């Protein structure tokens, strides 16, 4: 059993790469300008910070196949996860290895040392275990710390 990623709209990412199929009975031109199909991706971390969704994990992805550009990002036919991005531990500057919770802002992000010291047991998501499942690296992005603090305070 391993933790898995889900997209903004709840779709589970079964593997590192995905190809979109449309429910609106069109097989060509996915994504279509006349349909909402496609894999959605934001162009910058700043755009992610402005979302009204409860986001737990952020990833860096490669989009390919047919890609449409929008005002805040893209819709693509195909995507591949390249990296899982994590903030710092909430108790020290080390990268997070575990998370408890359901959002980047509301989650408790911990490095291994602080996780073991706090004694949370099996309740947390092991980020490296998830990264191993998708065969991608975990990348520490300190900019996420500023977002997390801003969401909590404001």
């Amino acid at each position: 059993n391993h933790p898995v990623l889900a997209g903004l709209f709840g779709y589970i990412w079964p593997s590192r790469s995905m190809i979109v199929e449309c429910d609106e009975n069109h097989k060509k031109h996915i994504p279509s300008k006349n349909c909402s199909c496609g894999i959605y991706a934001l162009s910058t971390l700043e755009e992610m910070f402005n979302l009204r969704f409860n986001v737990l994990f952020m990833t860096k992805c490669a989009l390919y196949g047919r890609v449409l550009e929008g005002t805040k990002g893209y819709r693509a036919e195909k995507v591949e996860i390249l990296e899982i991005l994590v903030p710092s531990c909430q108790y020290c500057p080390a990268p997070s290895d575990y998370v408890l919770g359901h959002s980047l802002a509301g989650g408790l992000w911990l490095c291994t040392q602080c996780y073991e010291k706090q004694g949370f047991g099996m309740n947390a998501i092991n980020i490296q275990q998830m990264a191993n499942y998708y065969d991608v690296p975990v990348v520490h992005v300190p900019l996420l710390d500023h977002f997390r603090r801003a969401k909590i305070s404001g």
Side-chain angles (χ1 to χ4, degrees):
N1 198 9
H2 51 79
V4 293
L5 294 168
L8 286 177
F9 303 111
Y11 298 108
I12 300 296
W13 287 68
S15 63
R16 181 178 179 168
S17 298
M18 258 189 354
I19 299 173
V20 172
E21 294 180 7
C22 182
D23 294 333
E24 298 298 322
N25 294 324
H26 65 87
K27 301 288 182 202
K28 293 184 178 182
H29 308 295
I30 296 174
S32 169
K33 291 180 181 179
N34 301 321
C35 185
S36 62
C37 63
I39 298 167
Y40 287 72
L42 296 169
S43 55
T44 66
L45 282 177
E46 288 76 17
E47 290 295 343
M48 191 67 167
F49 297 163
N50 294 325
L51 279 181
R52 299 280 184 230
F53 293 95
N54 285 329
V55 175
L56 182 57
F57 286 100
M58 288 197 266
T59 61
K60 181 177 179 181
C61 295
L63 306 175
Y64 55 102
R66 183 174 165 91
V67 178
L68 300 178
E69 186 171 1
T71 58
K72 297 181 181 182
Y74 306 91
R75 283 192 296 140
E77 175 187 10
K78 302 172 185 177
V79 66
E80 181 176 351
I81 300 170
L82 302 176
E83 302 170 342
I84 295 174
L85 311 177
V86 298
S88 301
C89 174
Q90 287 181 230
Y91 297 107
C92 72
S96 295
D97 299 309
Y98 295 90
V99 63
L100 289 147
H102 301 289
S103 70
L104 180 62
L108 180 60
W109 295 84
L110 302 162
C111 67
T112 299
Q113 183 178 359
C114 293
Y115 174 76
E116 290 172 354
K117 184 178 176 182
Q118 297 296 327
F120 287 110
M122 299 298 290
N123 297 326
I125 294 171
N126 180 318
I127 299 164
Q128 189 59 56
Q129 185 181 44
M130 181 169 42
N132 291 345
Y133 172 74
Y134 290 104
D135 193 26
V136 297
V138 175
V139 176
H140 180 216
V141 181
L143 179 61
L144 296 177
D145 302 340
H146 302 294
F147 167 70
R148 187 179 67 218
R149 285 192 288 273
K151 286 284 190 179
I152 291 170
S153 64

Short mmCIF file of all heavy atoms in Angstrom, two decimals, residues 29-53:
data_model
loop_
_atom_site.label_atom_id
_atom_site.label_comp_id
_atom_site.label_asym_id
_atom_site.label_seq_id
_atom_site.Cartn_x
_atom_site.Cartn_y
_atom_site.Cartn_z
N HIS A 29 -8.31 16.00 -31.19
CA HIS A 29 -8.15 17.35 -30.64
C HIS A 29 -8.45 17.42 -29.15
O HIS A 29 -9.28 18.20 -28.70
CB HIS A 29 -8.99 18.36 -31.41
CG HIS A 29 -8.78 18.31 -32.89
ND1 HIS A 29 -7.57 18.63 -33.46
CD2 HIS A 29 -9.60 17.97 -33.90
CE1 HIS A 29 -7.66 18.49 -34.78
NE2 HIS A 29 -8.89 18.08 -35.07
N ILE A 30 -7.81 16.55 -28.40
CA ILE A 30 -7.92 16.59 -26.93
C ILE A 30 -6.64 17.25 -26.41
O ILE A 30 -5.55 16.82 -26.73
CB ILE A 30 -8.07 15.17 -26.35
CG1 ILE A 30 -9.38 14.56 -26.83
CG2 ILE A 30 -8.00 15.20 -24.83
CD1 ILE A 30 -9.56 13.11 -26.43
N PRO A 31 -6.74 18.31 -25.66
CA PRO A 31 -7.97 19.00 -25.25
C PRO A 31 -8.55 19.83 -26.39
O PRO A 31 -7.83 20.27 -27.27
CB PRO A 31 -7.50 19.90 -24.11
CG PRO A 31 -6.07 20.19 -24.42
CD PRO A 31 -5.54 18.95 -25.10
N SER A 32 -9.83 20.06 -26.31
CA SER A 32 -10.54 20.82 -27.33
C SER A 32 -10.88 22.21 -26.80
O SER A 32 -11.16 22.38 -25.61
CB SER A 32 -11.84 20.10 -27.68
OG SER A 32 -12.66 20.93 -28.47
N LYS A 33 -10.86 23.18 -27.68
CA LYS A 33 -11.24 24.54 -27.29
C LYS A 33 -12.72 24.61 -26.93
O LYS A 33 -13.14 25.50 -26.21
CB LYS A 33 -10.92 25.51 -28.42
CG LYS A 33 -9.45 25.71 -28.65
CD LYS A 33 -9.19 26.68 -29.77
CE LYS A 33 -7.68 26.81 -29.97
NZ LYS A 33 -7.36 27.73 -31.07
N ASN A 34 -13.50 23.67 -27.43
CA ASN A 34 -14.95 23.67 -27.19
C ASN A 34 -15.37 22.72 -26.07
O ASN A 34 -16.55 22.39 -25.96
CB ASN A 34 -15.67 23.28 -28.49
CG ASN A 34 -15.37 24.25 -29.61
OD1 ASN A 34 -15.28 25.45 -29.38
ND2 ASN A 34 -15.16 23.73 -30.80
N CYS A 35 -14.42 22.27 -25.28
CA CYS A 35 -14.69 21.30 -24.21
C CYS A 35 -13.75 21.62 -23.05
O CYS A 35 -12.73 22.27 -23.22
CB CYS A 35 -14.45 19.89 -24.76
SG CYS A 35 -14.87 18.57 -23.61
N SER A 36 -14.08 21.14 -21.88
CA SER A 36 -13.22 21.38 -20.71
C SER A 36 -12.24 20.24 -20.46
O SER A 36 -11.56 20.21 -19.45
CB SER A 36 -14.08 21.59 -19.46
OG SER A 36 -14.84 20.43 -19.20
N CYS A 37 -12.14 19.30 -21.40
CA CYS A 37 -11.26 18.14 -21.21
C CYS A 37 -9.79 18.55 -21.22
O CYS A 37 -9.43 19.62 -21.69
CB CYS A 37 -11.51 17.10 -22.29
SG CYS A 37 -11.15 17.64 -23.97
N GLY A 38 -8.97 17.70 -20.69
CA GLY A 38 -7.54 17.94 -20.65
C GLY A 38 -7.01 17.88 -19.23
O GLY A 38 -7.77 17.90 -18.26
N ILE A 39 -5.72 17.79 -19.13
CA ILE A 39 -5.04 17.82 -17.83
C ILE A 39 -4.65 19.27 -17.58
O ILE A 39 -3.97 19.89 -18.39
CB ILE A 39 -3.79 16.92 -17.85
CG1 ILE A 39 -4.22 15.47 -18.10
CG2 ILE A 39 -3.01 17.06 -16.55
CD1 ILE A 39 -3.10 14.54 -18.45
N TYR A 40 -5.12 19.82 -16.48
CA TYR A 40 -4.88 21.22 -16.16
C TYR A 40 -3.57 21.38 -15.41
O TYR A 40 -3.25 20.59 -14.52
CB TYR A 40 -6.02 21.76 -15.28
CG TYR A 40 -7.31 21.97 -16.03
CD1 TYR A 40 -8.08 20.90 -16.45
CD2 TYR A 40 -7.75 23.25 -16.31
CE1 TYR A 40 -9.27 21.09 -17.13
CE2 TYR A 40 -8.94 23.46 -17.00
CZ TYR A 40 -9.69 22.37 -17.41
OH TYR A 40 -10.87 22.57 -18.09
N ALA A 41 -2.82 22.41 -15.76
CA ALA A 41 -1.57 22.72 -15.09
C ALA A 41 -1.42 24.23 -15.02
O ALA A 41 -1.75 24.94 -15.98
CB ALA A 41 -0.39 22.12 -15.85
N LEU A 42 -0.94 24.72 -13.92
CA LEU A 42 -0.69 26.15 -13.77
C LEU A 42 0.74 26.46 -14.22
O LEU A 42 1.63 25.62 -14.11
CB LEU A 42 -0.90 26.58 -12.32
CG LEU A 42 -2.34 26.41 -11.84
CD1 LEU A 42 -2.44 26.59 -10.35
CD2 LEU A 42 -3.26 27.37 -12.57
N SER A 43 0.94 27.68 -14.69
CA SER A 43 2.23 28.03 -15.27
C SER A 43 3.27 28.44 -14.23
O SER A 43 4.46 28.33 -14.49
CB SER A 43 2.07 29.13 -16.32
OG SER A 43 1.41 30.25 -15.76
N THR A 44 2.85 28.91 -13.05
CA THR A 44 3.80 29.37 -12.04
C THR A 44 3.36 28.95 -10.64
O THR A 44 2.17 28.68 -10.41
CB THR A 44 3.94 30.91 -12.05
OG1 THR A 44 2.68 31.48 -11.63
CG2 THR A 44 4.34 31.44 -13.42
N LEU A 45 4.28 28.95 -9.71
CA LEU A 45 3.93 28.70 -8.31
C LEU A 45 3.00 29.79 -7.79
O LEU A 45 2.10 29.53 -7.00
CB LEU A 45 5.18 28.64 -7.44
CG LEU A 45 5.99 27.37 -7.49
CD1 LEU A 45 7.25 27.51 -6.63
CD2 LEU A 45 5.19 26.17 -7.04
N GLU A 46 3.20 31.01 -8.25
CA GLU A 46 2.36 32.12 -7.81
C GLU A 46 0.89 31.87 -8.16
O GLU A 46 0.01 32.18 -7.38
CB GLU A 46 2.85 33.44 -8.41
CG GLU A 46 4.16 33.94 -7.82
CD GLU A 46 5.39 33.19 -8.32
OE1 GLU A 46 5.32 32.50 -9.36
OE2 GLU A 46 6.43 33.28 -7.65
N GLU A 47 0.64 31.32 -9.35
CA GLU A 47 -0.73 30.99 -9.74
C GLU A 47 -1.30 29.93 -8.79
O GLU A 47 -2.47 29.97 -8.42
CB GLU A 47 -0.80 30.50 -11.18
CG GLU A 47 -0.54 31.56 -12.21
CD GLU A 47 -1.59 32.66 -12.24
OE1 GLU A 47 -2.70 32.50 -11.69
OE2 GLU A 47 -1.28 33.73 -12.81
N MET A 48 -0.46 29.00 -8.39
CA MET A 48 -0.89 27.95 -7.47
C MET A 48 -1.27 28.56 -6.11
O MET A 48 -2.24 28.15 -5.49
CB MET A 48 0.23 26.93 -7.30
CG MET A 48 -0.18 25.69 -6.61
SD MET A 48 -1.36 24.81 -7.66
CE MET A 48 -1.38 23.27 -6.85
N PHE A 49 -0.50 29.56 -5.70
CA PHE A 49 -0.77 30.19 -4.40
C PHE A 49 -2.12 30.89 -4.37
O PHE A 49 -2.72 31.04 -3.32
CB PHE A 49 0.32 31.22 -4.08
CG PHE A 49 1.70 30.63 -3.93
CD1 PHE A 49 2.81 31.43 -3.99
CD2 PHE A 49 1.90 29.27 -3.75
CE1 PHE A 49 4.09 30.91 -3.86
CE2 PHE A 49 3.16 28.73 -3.62
CZ PHE A 49 4.26 29.56 -3.67
N ASN A 50 -2.61 31.33 -5.51
CA ASN A 50 -3.88 32.05 -5.59
C ASN A 50 -5.09 31.14 -5.69
O ASN A 50 -6.22 31.63 -5.68
CB ASN A 50 -3.85 33.02 -6.78
CG ASN A 50 -2.84 34.12 -6.56
OD1 ASN A 50 -2.61 34.57 -5.45
ND2 ASN A 50 -2.18 34.53 -7.64
N LEU A 51 -4.89 29.86 -5.80
CA LEU A 51 -6.01 28.92 -5.92
C LEU A 51 -6.87 28.91 -4.67
O LEU A 51 -6.39 29.11 -3.56
CB LEU A 51 -5.50 27.49 -6.14
CG LEU A 51 -5.10 27.11 -7.54
CD1 LEU A 51 -4.65 25.66 -7.56
CD2 LEU A 51 -6.23 27.30 -8.52
N ARG A 52 -8.12 28.59 -4.85
CA ARG A 52 -9.05 28.46 -3.73
C ARG A 52 -9.24 26.99 -3.36
O ARG A 52 -10.14 26.65 -2.62
CB ARG A 52 -10.40 29.08 -4.10
CG ARG A 52 -10.30 30.55 -4.41
CD ARG A 52 -10.27 31.35 -3.14
NE ARG A 52 -10.26 32.77 -3.46
CZ ARG A 52 -9.39 33.61 -2.95
NH1 ARG A 52 -8.47 33.21 -2.11
NH2 ARG A 52 -9.45 34.88 -3.25
N PHE A 53 -8.40 26.12 -3.88
CA PHE A 53 -8.48 24.69 -3.59
C PHE A 53 -7.60 24.35 -2.40
O PHE A 53 -6.62 25.05 -2.12
CB PHE A 53 -7.98 23.87 -4.78
CG PHE A 53 -8.86 23.95 -5.99
CD1 PHE A 53 -8.59 24.86 -7.00
CD2 PHE A 53 -9.96 23.12 -6.12
CE1 PHE A 53 -9.40 24.94 -8.11
CE2 PHE A 53 -10.77 23.20 -7.24
CZ PHE A 53 -10.49 24.11 -8.23
#
